[in-house]
Amino acid sequence: MTIDVQPMTLVGAPPGVDESTMLEMYRYMLLARAMDERMWLLNRAGKAPFVISCQGHEAAQVGAAFALQRGKDFTLPYYRGLATVLVMGMSPREVMLAIFARAADPSSGGRQMPAHYGHHKLKIVTQSSPVGTQIAHAAGIGLAEKIKGGDAVAWTSFGEGTTSQGDFHEGINLASVHQLPVIFQCENNDYAISVPMNKQMAVKSVADRGVAYGIPGVKVDGTDVLACYAANREAVGRARAGDGPTLIEAHCVRLTPHSSDDNDRTYRPAAEIKDLRSHDPLTRYRDYLREQGALDDVREQELRERIKHEVDDATAFAEQSPLPDPSTLLKHVYADS
Amino acid sequence: MTIDVQPMTLVGAPPGVDESTMLEMYRYMLLARAMDERMWLLNRAGKAPFVISCQGHEAAQVGAAFALQRGKDFTLPYYRGLATVLVMGMSPREVMLAIFARAADPSSGGRQMPAHYGHHKLKIVTQSSPVGTQIAHAAGIGLAEKIKGGDAVAWTSFGEGTTSQGDFHEGINLASVHQLPVIFQCENNDYAISVPMNKQMAVKSVADRGVAYGIPGVKVDGTDVLACYAANREAVGRARAGDGPTLIEAHCVRLTPHSSDDNDRTYRPAAEIKDLRSHDPLTRYRDYLREQGALDDVREQELRERIKHEVDDATAFAEQSPLPDPSTLLKHVYADS
Amino acid sequence: MAEITLLESIRQGIDEMMAEDARIFVFGEDVGRRGGVFRVTEGLIDKYGPMRVLDAPLAESVIAGACIGAAMNDTLPIAEIQFADFIHPAFNQIVSEAARIRYRSNGDWNVPMVIRAPYGGGIHGALYHSQSIEAFFCHVPGLKVVAPATPYDAKGLLKASIEDPDPVLFLEHKKCYRLIKGEVPEEDYRIPIGKADVKRAGRDMTVISYGLMLHYSLEAAEELAHEGVEVEVLDLRTLRPLDREAILSSVRKTSKALIVHEDNLTGGLGGEIAALISQHAFEHLDGPITRVCAPDVPAMPYSKPLEEAFMPSPAKIADAMRELAAY
Amino acid sequence: MAEITLLESIRQGIDEMMAEDARIFVFGEDVGRRGGVFRVTEGLIDKYGPMRVLDAPLAESVIAGACIGAAMNDTLPIAEIQFADFIHPAFNQIVSEAARIRYRSNGDWNVPMVIRAPYGGGIHGALYHSQSIEAFFCHVPGLKVVAPATPYDAKGLLKASIEDPDPVLFLEHKKCYRLIKGEVPEEDYRIPIGKADVKRAGRDMTVISYGLMLHYSLEAAEELAHEGVEVEVLDLRTLRPLDREAILSSVRKTSKALIVHEDNLTGGLGGEIAALISQHAFEHLDGPITRVCAPDVPAMPYSKPLEEAFMPSPAKIADAMRELAAY
Ligand SMILES: Cc1ncc(C[n+]2csc(CCOP(=O)(O)OP(=O)(O)O)c2C)c(N)n1
Ligand SMILES: Cc1ncc(C[n+]2csc(CCOP(=O)(O)OP(=O)(O)O)c2C)c(N)n1
Ligand SMILES: [Mg+2]
Ligand SMILES: [Mg+2]
C-alpha cells in the first residue's frame, strides 16, 4: 500500500495564524514525539508494560486541537491521541503517571492501560478499549448540547479500521439527522494492526462516506499540521453555527508498530517501512518553518532542550509517585462505593 | 412526507419478458394481496393474534424474486416478504399455517410470529425479529459461496429504518470488500412504524449509501414491478459474474398500519393516508397490462376467482391443522434434543 | 388514592420528573407522536416538545451510546428500548461503557441515565417479544437493575432511578402493564433502589420473586394458605444490587426457600440467590433450595399451547410449594 | 508424546481439521499474515490460502453474523474474536441469531460454527483485555460453551467443537496460552463436549473450577494435602451444558463444595453450580457451598497491586479450603 500524501509542499498558514502560533504547534508536535519516544525507552527498560504511539499522527492531532477551545469543547480522542490531550491541557506529568500506572494518573488512577485518556476538568471524555464506542458518545454529547442550547463542540477521533464498526455508522447517522455539533476525525494510517485498508473497505477514502450521511466528508493530508488546522477550524465553525457535523479524514502515517506488543515486520513490506520516515510530519513542518524563517538552529535547539527537560521531569515525577493502594480496588463501582 | 413515485407511467417490459411472464407476475401480486387481506380479516375475527403486511410492497418483491433462481439462490426476506416467499415457492397453505401458529408451519412450527419466514428446501433462510441481522447473514452466505466457488446469489430485504442499524453497515461493508454475490434490497416505505425517513437519515435516498461502500446504489420505483425486475436482474447478473454486491432501494408505499397492533392515524397525516391508494402497485400494473392488451375483464375475473379459491383452501386447511403438542417445547434446542 | 395501572404509574413518574427537571429527556424509537408502542410516553411530546421527547433512529447501540454521551454532558437521559429483546445490539455500549465509566475513570466521570425496557411474556410475543433479559445485566458491576411489580413501587423506583447518579436498567413487565392496577398516592415519594419488600408474610417458607411471577406467587401462596401453609412472599423489586439482608433474614426465619422467575432456569438470577442462601444461611436450611423457572429453551414460543407450557403458572408454583412444604 | 503449550495444541487442532475438511475456514481480525495477535493461526494462511484464512474487517457483529450465514451455506466457520472483551458488539448476533436459529426454525436450519475467544487476565491487560465473559453465554440455551485448561483437553475439545452441529463458544485463557504445557498424543482423538474431568481425586471436599483457576486450585489442593486435607478437583471443561452428574456425584461423595472462578462473583457461573448442588445434593451437604471468585468490580485493573488484589490466587483458594475443611 502506498501512502499518497502530497509531495513535500504544505498548504501554508491559513489566515489569522501568526508565527508564534505556528511555533506553538511545532512545540506540541515535538513534545508529543519526545514523550512518545521516551515511553518506548521505558518499555524496553521494562518499566512500562504497554505503549501505543501517536508517532506520525502529531500533525493531524495538533492541527485539530488548535481549532478547539480548551475547557469548553469536548474531546474524545482514541488511544493514539497523545498530542491531542497535550494541546487540550494534559500535562506531561499527568501523561507519564498513566504510563507508570500510578494512583495519581488523572485518566484512571492506574486502572486502565496507558493512552486511555480522560480528564473531566479538561472535558477530555474517558476512553475505553473497544473501538468506536466513543463515536456514539460524541453524538450524544452533541445532542445534549443542542438540547441545552449551548455552543460547545464534541470532537472525536478514531482509526480507519474503526469505520467498519456499526457504532461508526450509527453515531454519525444520528449526528447528521439532528445536525449536531460534532467533528468526527478519522486518522487513517492505512493499517488496522496488520489489516490493510483494502481489506477494511472498498472505497479509496473514508471521506467518501460523508455522502452516506449528507454531511461534508473532508480529506486532508494528515502530515500537514496547517492543513489539518484549517480543515478542523472550518468544521468547528460549521458545528458552532448549528450547521451540523463534519467527517474529516486525516491521512497519517503509522511510524511505529501498532503497539509495543506488535512486530510490524511480520506483515508490512520492508520497503514501505523504510519509506515511512520520508512522510514524518515533524520533519515536513520543521523544513517549512525554516523556509518561512520562523525557525533556526538556535531556536530549534533551545526548544528541544526545554522539551527534554519537561520529559525528564515528568518521567522522574511519575516514577517516584505511589502505586494505587490495593484497598482502593472496590472504590468507584457506584457513587456510594 | 410526500411519496415521490413517478407519475403513472411504468418503465415497460425489459427485453426477454414475455406476456405470460408478465401475467405470472401479476398473479403473484394478486395472490400476495389476497392472502394479506385475508389475514387481516382473520385478525379482526380473533383467529390470528398478529398480522404484518406486504401491501404496497408487492411490486418490489415480485419483481425482485422473478430475477432469482428458485431452489438455487438464497433469500433472506424480512417480515414484509410475503410476496417474495410466494414466488420463491412457499405455498398459500404453508403461509397460512404460520398465521394460525400450527405445528406444520414450515417456517417455525408455530414457534415464531407469522411473517418470520424460513424454508430450508427453498433456501429461504430463517428470519428473526431483531431487524438487520439478516444483512450480515446474507454477506456470510455470499462469502461461503465465494469460498466454495459456487454461483448462487444471496438476496436480502429490509426497510429504510433498518439502514440505521450497525449491521446494515457492517454487512454491506464486508460484502463490498470481498465483492460477494449479494443483493441488498431496501424496501423504503417512508416510515419505520411511526418514525418518518427524515428522522432516520439525513439523505434523500438510501441508494446514496452505495457510494460509501464503492458499490452500485440503485433507486427504483418500488411500485413498478417491471422496473424492480429489471434492477434486480441486472444486480443478479453482476453478482453471478463475480462483480460484487448491489444496494437497491425500492421506493414502496405502506398501505396498512405498521402491523395489526398499530394505528397509523395517530401519527400519519390523514391526507397522506388518503393519497396512498393512488400509488397502489396492483392498480398501476393492472392498468398497464390492460393498456398492453395483456389483460381484460374476463381474464382478470378468472384470475381473481382462482386466487380466491386458493386462499379459501389455504385458510380452511391451516385452520383445521393441529396446534403444536406441548410436549415438543423442549425439541430442537440442540441437534440431540 | 387513585387506582392506576402499572403503565400509567410509569408515565406519571416520567411526566412529574420532567416537569421538575429540564435536564431530563426521553430518547427511543416511536416515543414521540406515537407515544411509544405501548403508549407509555403518550402525550409527553405535546407537553415537553420534540427536543425533550425524541424519536430515535432504529439503532439501539446509539440509543444507549448517545444517552451515555448526553449523561456526561449534564443532561439526564431516559432511553427507551422498544422491547427488551432488542437491547442486545446495545450490549456493548451498556456493559463496556455505561457500567464501567465511573470505575475506569477512577470516579472522574459518571453516567446518570435510565434505560427503560418492556420485558417478559405471556402476550403471544413469541421468541423476540417475550424475553426476560435481567440475568445478563445482573452480572454487570456498575449497573443497577430494577424490576417493579406494582404501580406504587414502579413510580417510586422510577423516580429514584432518574435521580440515581449511576446507570439504571428499569424493567417493565409487558403483561403487567395493564393487568396490574394499584393505588398510588397523590404526593411525591420515592422507593429506594436495593430494598426488597415482603408482599406477604408467612412462617413456613420464603418465596423470592419479582415481576409477573411475583403476582403468580402471591396467587399460589393464597391457595396454600387454604391448605394451612403460610408462605412468605418476598418481592425483590431491585435485582442488582440484591437485598441480601432481606433474603437471608426471611430464609433464616422460614428455613425454606423457593425462587420463582420467568427467565430460563440455567444461569438465571435464581442461581445467584440460591448461592447466597446456601452459603450464608446454610445452618438454617431445612429443605433444598428450589427453583421454579422457565425451561432451558431459547425463548417463549408463539403458539398458545407452547407458550403456556413455557410459562411458570400459579399452579406450577403451588405444586412446588406443596412439595417443599412437605419436605 | 510431545509436550506442547495450550496455544500450540489449539493451533494443531485447527490445522489438522482444516487439512481434513475443506469446508472449514478461519475468519477474524489479523488472523492472516499476522497469524492473530496471539499467533494462534500463525502459518495457516500459507498452508490454506487467503480464501480459508481471512482477515475480517474490524467489526465483531459481522464477524459473528457472517459466520452464521456461512454456516447455513455448507461451510464450517471458525470465528476468532481477538479478545473476549470485544465479543460484546456481537452479542446480538450470537444470542439472538446463532443460539436461536435451530429452535426458531423448528430444526429446519442450524449453525455449525465455532467462536474462539481468548479470555481471562493476570497479564496486565486491564479492564478490556482481561475479562471473563462466560456467564453471559452460559445463560443462553442453544449455545455450548467450552473452556479447556490443558493442551490435551483443548485439542480434543476444539475438534469436537468444530464437528458439533451447533454453535460453540470456545474460550482460551490468555495466561494459560504459553504457561500451561502438557503432553498431547500424536494420534487423532476427541474430548466430548459436556463431560467434566476429575483432575485430582480426594475425599474431603470437592473443588469445582475451570481455566486458569483450575491450575490455581490444583496448587492449593497440593498445599492442603500436606496439611492432611484431601481435596477433589473437578475440571468442568465444558461450561454449558454443565456436567450435572459429575458435579453432584463428587459432592455427594465429599459433602463439601468449593467453587472457584476468575469471573466476578455475583451472577457468575458459580451461582448456577451452587443452585444445582443445593437443590439436588442437599441431604449430602456438610458445610456451606463456598465461592472464591473475583470481586464485584467492573473488570480487572491494570496497575499491578490492583490486578493482584482482583485475581483469586492459590493462597486465597487455600484459605477458603482450610475454612471449609474446618467447618
Ligand atoms: C471492538 C474491538 N475489537 C478489536 C479490538 C482490538 N484492536 C485494538 S486496535 C485495533 C486496530 C485499530 O485500527 P484503526 O481503527 O485503523 O486504528 P489505528 O490503531 O490504526 O490507529 C484492533 C483490532 C478493539 N480494541 N476493539
Ligand atoms: C433491533 C430491533 N429494534 C426494534 C424493533 C421493533 N421494530 C419492529 S419493525 C420496526 C420498524 C422497521 O422499520 P423499517 O425498517 O422501515 O421497515 P418497515 O416496517 O417500514 O417495512 C421496529 C422499530 C425490532 N424489530 N428490532
Ligand atoms: Mg489505522
Ligand atoms: Mg419503512
Side-chain angles (χ1 to χ4, degrees):
Chain A
M1 171 153 315
T2 61
I3 297 157
D4 63 359
V5 286
Q6 290 76 336
M8 291 303 145
T9 54
L10 302 186
V11 296
V17 179
D18 58 19
E19 188 174 295
S20 70
T21 309
M22 289 199 288
L23 284 172
E24 200 47 13
M25 290 178 173
Y26 184 56
R27 187 177 71 76
Y28 274 110
M29 289 168 72
L30 279 180
L31 176 60
R33 178 66 58 92
M35 292 284 292
D36 199 292
E37 288 172 343
R38 178 65 54 89
M39 293 172 189
W40 283 89
L41 291 178
L42 293 166
N43 175 258
R44 299 281 178 262
K47 291 181 171 182
F50 182 78
V51 174
I52 191 157
S53 268
C54 81
Q55 292 187 43
H57 290 236
E58 295 92 345
Q61 295 176 18
V62 170
F66 265 75
L68 298 168
Q69 263 187 54
R70 225 194 235 194
K72 169 177 186 157
D73 295 325
F74 290 81
T75 51
L76 300 85
Y78 79 124
Y79 49 81
R80 297 207 190 278
L82 172 57
T84 311
V85 298
L86 287 171
V87 177
M88 296 313 288
M90 222 186 249
S91 72
R93 285 183 167 198
E94 290 178 317
V95 170
M96 278 298 179
L97 284 165
I99 286 294
F100 287 100
R102 297 312 202 225
D105 153 36
S107 294
S108 79
R111 290 175 170 195
Q112 290 214 81
M113 289 177 144
H116 289 54
Y117 301 106
H119 200 306
H120 204 151
K121 221 169 71 286
L122 300 172
K123 295 201 168 173
I124 299 168
V125 179
T126 173
Q127 293 301 295
S128 64
S129 302
V131 300
T133 52
Q134 75 276 17
I135 298 172
H137 304 165
I141 289 168
L143 180 63
E145 199 63 20
K146 187 173 179 180
I147 290 171
K148 295 187 299 175
D151 73 338
V153 162
W155 182 94
T156 188
S157 62
F158 46 87
E160 88 292 342
T162 298
T163 67
S164 297
Q165 286 284 343
D167 277 359
F168 165 83
H169 173 68
E170 296 190 13
I172 297 190
N173 186 57
L174 175 66
S176 59
V177 166
H178 291 280
Q179 291 288 294
L180 304 177
V182 189
I183 291 147
F184 302 97
Q185 173 160 305
C186 176
E187 299 179 11
N188 180 353
N189 58 14
D190 299 309
Y191 283 91
I193 304 185
S194 72
V195 180
M197 186 163 164
N198 64 358
K199 290 235 185 71
Q200 202 69 241
M201 66 194 86
V203 285
K204 286 265 154 298
S205 165
V206 170
D208 298 344
R209 298 190 151 173
V211 181
Y213 308 101
I215 64 170
V218 180
K219 180 165 187 172
V220 59
D221 177 352
T223 66
D224 180 343
V225 63
L226 297 175
C228 293
Y229 170 73
N232 275 274
R233 193 171 67 175
E234 207 185 314
V236 169
R238 255 196 305 277
R240 282 206 215 288
D243 298 334
T246 304
L247 172 61
I248 294 175
E249 175 187 23
H251 199 169
C252 306
V253 288
R254 197 184 84 192
L255 294 175
T256 64
H258 173 73
S259 76
S260 53
D261 294 341
D262 183 35
N263 171 7
D264 56 356
R265 275 182 241 77
T266 59
Y267 54 82
R268 206 168 180 176
E272 184 180 300
I273 296 180
K274 210 165 136 298
D275 178 56
L276 284 173
R277 287 287 155 191
S278 66
H279 302 284
D280 187 330
L282 265 72
T283 327
R284 299 186 65 201
Y285 193 44
R286 190 210 291 104
D287 297 347
Y288 170 82
L289 289 173
R290 283 166 165 282
E291 283 161 27
Q292 302 296 310
L295 192 67
D296 59 24
D297 293 347
V298 184
R299 294 182 80 167
E300 174 93 25
Q301 203 40 43
E302 60 190 39
L303 201 50
R304 288 183 177 277
E305 260 149 36
R306 190 170 132 214
I307 284 169
K308 182 179 180 312
H309 174 77
E310 270 185 281
V311 176
D312 291 341
D313 163 77
T315 310
F317 171 82
E319 193 165 10
Q320 55 73 43
S321 158
L323 286 163
D325 187 302
S327 70
T328 62
L329 177 69
L330 304 182
K331 286 213 161 26
H332 305 305
V333 178
Y334 299 100
D336 49 21
S337 65
Chain B
M1 170 154 313
T2 61
I3 298 159
D4 64 358
V5 285
Q6 290 76 337
M8 291 304 146
T9 54
L10 302 186
V11 296
V17 180
D18 56 20
E19 188 174 294
S20 68
T21 310
M22 290 200 285
L23 285 173
E24 199 47 13
M25 289 178 174
Y26 184 56
R27 187 177 72 75
Y28 274 111
M29 288 169 71
L30 280 179
L31 176 61
R33 178 66 58 91
M35 292 283 293
D36 199 293
E37 287 171 342
R38 179 64 56 89
M39 293 171 189
W40 283 89
L41 291 179
L42 293 166
N43 176 258
R44 298 283 178 260
K47 291 180 171 184
F50 182 77
V51 173
I52 191 157
S53 267
C54 81
Q55 292 187 42
H57 290 237
E58 295 92 345
Q61 294 177 18
V62 171
F66 265 75
L68 298 168
Q69 262 186 57
R70 225 193 233 195
K72 169 177 184 155
D73 295 326
F74 291 80
T75 51
L76 300 85
Y78 79 125
Y79 48 81
R80 295 207 192 279
L82 172 58
T84 312
V85 297
L86 287 171
V87 177
M88 296 313 287
M90 227 188 244
S91 72
R93 285 183 167 198
E94 289 178 316
V95 170
M96 277 300 179
L97 284 166
I99 286 294
F100 287 101
R102 297 311 201 224
D105 153 35
S107 293
S108 78
R111 290 175 169 195
Q112 290 214 77
M113 288 176 146
H116 289 54
Y117 302 105
H119 200 306
H120 204 152
K121 221 168 73 285
L122 299 172
K123 296 203 169 171
I124 299 167
V125 179
T126 172
Q127 293 302 295
S128 64
S129 302
V131 301
T133 52
Q134 75 277 17
I135 298 171
H137 304 165
I141 289 168
L143 181 63
E145 199 63 20
K146 187 174 180 181
I147 290 171
K148 295 186 300 175
D151 72 340
V153 163
W155 182 94
T156 188
S157 62
F158 46 87
E160 87 291 343
T162 297
T163 67
S164 297
Q165 285 284 344
D167 277 358
F168 165 84
H169 174 68
E170 296 190 14
I172 297 190
N173 187 58
L174 175 66
S176 59
V177 166
H178 292 280
Q179 291 288 292
L180 303 178
V182 189
I183 292 147
F184 302 97
Q185 173 160 305
C186 176
E187 298 178 12
N188 179 354
N189 57 15
D190 300 310
Y191 284 89
I193 305 185
S194 71
V195 180
M197 185 162 164
N198 64 358
K199 291 235 184 73
Q200 202 68 244
M201 66 194 86
V203 285
K204 286 266 155 297
S205 166
V206 170
D208 297 346
R209 298 190 152 173
V211 180
Y213 309 101
I215 64 170
V218 180
K219 180 165 187 168
V220 59
D221 177 351
T223 66
D224 180 342
V225 63
L226 297 173
C228 294
Y229 170 73
N232 275 275
R233 193 172 68 174
E234 205 186 315
V236 169
R238 256 196 303 277
R240 284 208 213 286
D243 297 335
T246 304
L247 172 61
I248 294 174
E249 174 188 23
H251 198 171
C252 305
V253 287
R254 198 184 82 192
L255 294 176
T256 64
H258 173 73
S259 75
S260 53
D261 293 342
D262 183 36
N263 170 7
D264 56 357
R265 274 182 243 77
T266 60
Y267 55 82
R268 204 167 181 176
E272 184 180 301
I273 296 180
K274 211 166 135 299
D275 178 55
L276 284 173
R277 288 288 156 189
S278 66
H279 302 285
D280 187 330
L282 266 70
T283 326
R284 299 187 63 200
Y285 193 44
R286 190 210 293 105
D287 297 347
Y288 170 82
L289 290 172
R290 285 168 163 280
E291 281 162 27
Q292 302 296 311
L295 192 68
D296 57 23
D297 293 347
V298 183
R299 294 182 78 165
E300 173 94 25
Q301 203 39 44
E302 61 190 41
L303 200 52
R304 288 186 179 275
E305 261 150 35
R306 191 171 128 213
I307 284 169
K308 181 178 181 312
H309 174 78
E310 271 186 278
V311 177
D312 291 342
D313 163 78
T315 309
F317 171 83
E319 192 164 9
Q320 55 72 41
S321 159
L323 286 162
D325 186 301
S327 69
T328 62
L329 177 69
L330 305 182
K331 287 214 159 25
H332 305 305
V333 179
Y334 299 101
D336 49 22
S337 64
Chain C
M1 292 203 292
E3 269 242 336
I4 59 173
T5 63
L6 185 84
L7 190 150
E8 288 161 337
S9 77
I10 294 165
R11 184 190 297 138
Q12 277 187 12
I14 300 172
D15 190 356
E16 291 171 18
M17 293 296 283
M18 288 184 82
E20 286 298 310
D21 191 336
R23 294 172 305 165
I24 301 168
F25 72 96
V26 174
F27 189 55
E29 295 152 11
D30 303 287
V31 297
R33 277 277 142 260
R34 180 72 168 75
V37 294
F38 294 100
R39 311 261 181 220
V40 172
T41 57
E42 195 166 43
L44 296 180
I45 192 168
D46 301 317
K47 256 175 134 163
Y48 303 106
M51 281 317 292
R52 289 184 66 195
V53 182
L54 296 103
D55 282 329
L58 180 31
E60 284 73 14
S61 185
V62 79
I63 288 175
C67 286
I68 290 167
M72 292 194 286
N73 189 10
D74 301 325
T75 58
L76 299 174
I78 302 175
E80 176 177 305
I81 300 295
Q82 196 161 81
F83 287 83
D85 314 61
F86 306 135
I87 202 169
H88 303 322
F91 197 74
N92 189 46
Q93 282 289 353
I94 296 169
V95 171
S96 301
E97 302 297 322
R100 290 179 157 91
I101 278 174
R102 183 186 292 276
Y103 192 78
R104 81 183 186 214
S105 68
N106 209 26
D108 195 32
W109 289 93
N110 67 305
V111 180
M113 76 186 278
V114 175
I115 302 174
R116 294 182 40 245
Y119 78 108
I123 50 139
H124 303 301
L127 273 72
Y128 298 101
H129 297 79
S130 306
Q131 289 171 36
S132 296
I133 56 150
E134 59 272 22
F136 297 123
F137 298 98
C138 289
H139 181 50
V140 180
L143 284 184
K144 297 180 180 180
V145 182
V146 173
T150 68
Y152 177 75
D153 289 344
K155 186 172 178 179
L157 275 163
L158 181 66
K159 290 186 171 188
S161 300
I162 294 170
E163 286 167 344
D164 197 281
D166 290 302
V168 179
L169 177 59
F170 191 87
L171 297 172
E172 308 167 0
H173 198 290
K174 292 191 290 293
K175 187 160 185 168
C176 295
Y177 264 152
R178 293 185 159 80
L179 182 72
I180 303 302
K181 299 191 179 58
E183 295 199 328
V184 170
E186 302 305 323
E187 61 279 8
D188 194 34
Y189 68 97
R190 304 285 183 276
I191 304 287
I193 292 175
K195 290 262 156 285
D197 182 45
V198 176
K199 287 283 196 285
R200 178 194 179 100
R203 62 173 187 288
D204 298 333
M205 78 176 62
T206 300
V207 170
I208 300 150
S209 192
Y210 54 95
L212 177 66
M213 290 304 131
L214 182 270
H215 298 286
Y216 285 5
S217 299
L218 286 169
E219 268 185 58
E222 194 57 40
E223 202 176 316
L224 264 84
H226 301 131
E227 304 168 20
V229 180
E230 286 309 330
V231 176
E232 178 150 303
V233 180
L234 185 68
D235 180 0
L236 288 174
R237 298 197 296 193
T238 295
L239 309 185
R240 184 180 184 106
L242 282 170
D243 189 343
R244 289 171 53 128
E245 270 334 293
I247 294 168
L248 295 176
S249 60
S250 174
V251 174
R252 288 185 183 122
K253 183 181 76 179
T254 64
S255 63
K256 286 179 179 176
L258 175 69
I259 303 157
V260 184
H261 59 60
E262 184 180 323
D263 195 2
N264 308 102
L265 175 82
T266 297
L269 187 59
E272 180 59 32
I273 297 166
L276 282 177
I277 296 169
S278 60
Q279 177 156 18
H280 302 292
F282 177 71
E283 309 78 356
H284 303 78
L285 276 178
D286 205 351
I289 302 168
T290 310
R291 290 184 290 173
V292 175
C293 307
D296 288 329
V297 304
M300 202 176 303
Y302 179 67
S303 197
K304 203 161 186 304
L306 294 178
E307 187 183 73
E308 282 168 1
F310 178 97
M311 287 286 275
S313 63
K316 293 178 196 169
I317 297 168
D319 289 343
M321 287 173 172
R322 288 189 192 93
E323 198 177 317
L324 187 54
Y327 184 89
Chain D
M1 293 203 291
E3 269 243 335
I4 59 173
T5 63
L6 184 84
L7 190 150
E8 289 161 336
S9 76
I10 295 165
R11 184 190 297 138
Q12 277 187 11
I14 300 172
D15 190 354
E16 291 171 18
M17 292 296 284
M18 287 184 82
E20 286 298 312
D21 190 336
R23 294 172 305 165
I24 301 168
F25 72 96
V26 174
F27 189 56
E29 294 152 12
D30 303 287
V31 297
R33 278 277 141 262
R34 180 73 169 74
V37 294
F38 293 101
R39 311 262 182 220
V40 172
T41 57
E42 195 165 41
L44 295 180
I45 193 168
D46 301 319
K47 260 177 131 160
Y48 303 105
M51 282 316 293
R52 289 184 64 196
V53 183
L54 295 103
D55 282 329
L58 179 30
E60 285 72 15
S61 185
V62 80
I63 288 175
C67 286
I68 290 167
M72 292 193 286
N73 188 10
D74 300 327
T75 58
L76 299 174
I78 303 175
E80 176 178 304
I81 299 295
Q82 195 162 79
F83 288 83
D85 314 62
F86 306 135
I87 202 169
H88 302 323
F91 196 74
N92 189 46
Q93 283 289 352
I94 297 169
V95 172
S96 300
E97 301 298 323
R100 291 179 157 89
I101 278 173
R102 182 186 291 275
Y103 191 78
R104 81 182 185 215
S105 68
N106 209 26
D108 195 34
W109 289 93
N110 67 305
V111 179
M113 75 186 278
V114 175
I115 303 174
R116 295 182 39 246
Y119 78 108
I123 50 139
H124 303 300
L127 272 71
Y128 298 100
H129 296 78
S130 306
Q131 290 172 35
S132 295
I133 55 147
E134 58 273 22
F136 297 123
F137 298 98
C138 289
H139 181 50
V140 180
L143 284 184
K144 297 180 179 181
V145 181
V146 172
T150 69
Y152 177 75
D153 290 344
K155 186 173 177 179
L157 276 163
L158 182 66
K159 289 186 171 188
S161 300
I162 294 170
E163 286 166 345
D164 197 280
D166 290 303
V168 179
L169 176 60
F170 191 88
L171 297 172
E172 308 166 2
H173 199 290
K174 293 192 290 292
K175 188 162 185 167
C176 295
Y177 264 151
R178 294 185 158 80
L179 182 72
I180 304 303
K181 297 191 180 59
E183 294 198 327
V184 171
E186 303 304 324
E187 62 278 11
D188 194 34
Y189 68 97
R190 304 283 183 275
I191 303 286
I193 292 175
K195 291 262 156 284
D197 182 46
V198 175
K199 287 282 194 288
R200 179 194 179 99
R203 64 175 183 287
D204 298 332
M205 77 176 67
T206 300
V207 171
I208 299 151
S209 191
Y210 54 94
L212 178 66
M213 291 303 130
L214 182 270
H215 297 286
Y216 285 6
S217 299
L218 286 168
E219 269 187 58
E222 195 57 41
E223 202 176 316
L224 264 82
H226 301 132
E227 304 167 19
V229 180
E230 286 309 330
V231 176
E232 177 149 303
V233 181
L234 184 68
D235 180 0
L236 288 174
R237 299 197 297 192
T238 294
L239 308 186
R240 182 180 185 104
L242 280 170
D243 188 343
R244 289 171 51 126
E245 271 333 294
I247 294 168
L248 294 175
S249 60
S250 174
V251 174
R252 287 184 183 124
K253 183 180 75 176
T254 64
S255 63
K256 286 180 178 176
L258 175 69
I259 302 157
V260 184
H261 60 60
E262 183 180 323
D263 194 1
N264 308 100
L265 175 81
T266 297
L269 187 59
E272 181 59 32
I273 298 166
L276 281 177
I277 296 168
S278 59
Q279 178 156 16
H280 302 292
F282 177 71
E283 311 78 356
H284 303 77
L285 277 178
D286 204 355
I289 302 168
T290 310
R291 290 183 291 173
V292 176
C293 308
D296 287 329
V297 304
M300 203 176 305
Y302 179 68
S303 197
K304 203 161 186 303
L306 294 178
E307 188 184 70
E308 282 168 1
F310 178 97
M311 287 287 277
S313 63
K316 293 178 198 168
I317 298 168
D319 289 343
M321 287 173 171
R322 289 189 191 92
E323 200 177 315
L324 186 55
Y327 184 89

